[in-house]
Amino acid sequence: MSPGLSFANRVPVVRIVLVAVAAAMLVLSAGSLAHAQSFRQGVSAFNRQDYQQASQIFIPLAERGQPSAQAYLGFLFETGRGVPQNLTEAAMWYRRAAEQGDSLAQYSLGLLYDRGQGVPRDIVEASKWLNLSTAGAPRRAREARARIRDAVTTKMTRGEVARARLRALEWAPVRER
């Protein structure tokens, strides 16, 4: 036992440390809860077709790296709902979410590459993102995404298909900080 700290004296110190850790965890989880609540409010505004309100909620969340907010924001910029239409901005938000593994953003980014909207037309990059999106899609969306992916693939050479598949295999999600 260390000099000066008997067992009886250490118990209150341990309690103080545990209370401090619990308080810190509560503060951190409250921040996460606030983000989740804000995101839900953004989705609710989006569903009410109040796109300006939705964009005001999604922008700070997207800037802080939340992939779902980034994907919604990409859609708003792509369609010009609640914000001025800007395909380059849409592609940037989709890319940020896609790089973190958001399959809907991967799908949307793949379509932009296929059409050359907001990004240079790049069929290999389109196929890569559509492959990743199909693999990560919820079951109910997988078949529809596979049909789009396959339609894009019909425009490609065998070498382009191989490059796209290799890029998809080499890809790994990266969380924003």
Side-chain angles (χ1 to χ4, degrees), residues 139-158:
R139 183 193 312 228
R140 64 189 180 281
R142 195 169 299 132
E143 187 177 319
R145 290 189 194 178
R147 279 194 304 273
I148 298 297
R149 178 205 58 206
D150 294 346
V152 169
T153 303
T154 64
K155 302 184 250 181
M156 301 170 69
T157 67
R158 285 168 51 195

Side-chain angles (χ1 to χ4, degrees), residues 55-125:
S55 70
Q56 291 172 359
I57 293 169
F58 290 141
I59 287 171
L61 296 172
E63 288 173 343
R64 286 194 292 265
Q66 186 183 51
S68 297
Q70 292 168 338
Y72 269 98
L73 198 53
F75 178 80
L76 293 175
F77 276 106
E78 181 181 2
T79 59
R81 295 180 180 167
V83 294
Q85 185 177 26
N86 184 329
L87 295 175
T88 303
E89 190 83 3
M92 185 270 299
W93 287 113
Y94 283 146
R95 175 174 300 285
R96 285 181 64 177
E99 291 288 354
Q100 294 186 76
D102 185 289
S103 78
L104 185 56
Q106 291 169 339
Y107 177 75
S108 299
L109 184 60
L111 294 178
L112 290 182
Y113 271 110
D114 180 49
R115 298 185 304 245
Q117 294 180 321
V119 292
R121 187 169 190 282
D122 185 337
I123 198 78
V124 173
E125 197 67 5

